[in-house]
Amino acid sequence: MLKLSRLTDYAAVVMAQIARHPEQPQAAAELAEAVQLPHPTVSKTLKMLVRAGLLESRRGAQGGYSLARPASQITASDIISAIEGPVAMTECSQAGGDCDLAATCGVADNWQRVSLAIRNLLDSVTLAHLADKNPIKLPVQLPIQSVSLAAEA
C-alpha cells in the first residue's frame, strides 16, 4: 500500500488549522488541543515544518506559530516533502536517486513519468484547498502521456 505516514497526515492537519486562523500566531498547546493530538507529537511536527520553511516561530507573550507564506502558496507537496522527503514513487524517480538496476530495469522512465504526474497533482493542491471545508475538485484523469521528463525537454 502506498501511504503517507501519520506524522505527515498530522502535519497537514496542523497546517490547515493554522491556515484557518492566520491572523495571530498559535501556541503548540493550543494547536494540540484544537486538533486533538498529543502535545509532543504536535511540537515535533511544528519543528519539522519550521525547519522546512513552511512555518515561522516567535517566542514571547505574542508568540506562537504562523505560516511563513500565504496558504495559497504552500502546496501539499511542500508539506509532504517537509516530513517525508522528496515525493517519488521509486528511488530512480527522484533527483539524484541511486539505483543499481536503472540501466537494465526497463521501467525507470515510466516510473519517472508517474512520479512527475503525482508531484504535479500535489503541487496543484494548496494548503488553502486543504484548509477549506469544501471538497477539492480534482481532475478525473491524469494525462501521464503528456508529462515530459527533464531529459526530453
Side-chain angles (χ1 to χ4, degrees), residues 9-71:
D9 186 21
Y10 297 161
V13 169
V14 168
M15 291 285 290
Q17 179 66 21
I18 294 170
R20 287 186 199 108
H21 307 283
E23 61 281 350
Q24 69 179 37
Q26 298 178 46
E30 293 169 354
L31 285 166
E33 186 176 327
V35 298
Q36 297 292 294
L37 290 171
H39 186 271
T41 302
V42 170
S43 291
K44 178 181 179 177
T45 304
L46 290 168
K47 287 176 187 167
M48 294 174 83
L49 294 166
V50 167
R51 203 172 315 124
L54 300 180
L55 293 178
E56 294 176 343
S57 172
R58 289 188 203 93
R59 295 184 184 272
Q62 300 299 319
Y65 293 89
S66 57
L67 299 178
R69 54 188 189 265

Side-chain angles (χ1 to χ4, degrees), residues 1-148:
M1 176 188 302
L2 190 61
K3 184 173 157 181
L4 297 175
S5 71
R6 283 187 184 173
L7 201 57
T8 300
D9 186 21
Y10 297 161
V13 169
V14 168
M15 291 285 290
Q17 179 66 21
I18 294 170
R20 287 186 199 108
H21 307 283
E23 61 281 350
Q24 69 179 37
Q26 298 178 46
E30 293 169 354
L31 285 166
E33 186 176 327
V35 298
Q36 297 292 294
L37 290 171
H39 186 271
T41 302
V42 170
S43 291
K44 178 181 179 177
T45 304
L46 290 168
K47 287 176 187 167
M48 294 174 83
L49 294 166
V50 167
R51 203 172 315 124
L54 300 180
L55 293 178
E56 294 176 343
S57 172
R58 289 188 203 93
R59 295 184 184 272
Q62 300 299 319
Y65 293 89
S66 57
L67 299 178
R69 54 188 189 265
S72 62
Q73 295 177 16
I74 297 173
T75 67
S77 183
D78 293 332
I79 298 168
I80 293 167
S81 295
I83 308 299
E84 305 275 348
V87 175
M89 294 297 296
T90 61
E91 186 66 32
C92 67
S93 298
Q94 62 183 343
D98 185 28
C99 177
D100 296 335
L101 300 176
T104 59
C105 76
V107 296
D109 186 53
N110 287 325
W111 273 129
Q112 289 171 2
R113 289 176 192 280
V114 171
S115 290
L116 188 55
I118 290 170
R119 276 194 304 273
N120 286 341
L121 177 63
L122 292 171
D123 284 342
S124 73
V125 176
T126 68
L127 177 57
H129 292 125
L130 294 174
D132 191 347
K133 300 285 185 177
N134 296 316
I136 300 170
K137 292 181 179 23
L138 296 175
V140 176
Q141 183 179 14
L142 283 176
I144 65 171
Q145 301 87 316
S146 65
V147 172
S148 296

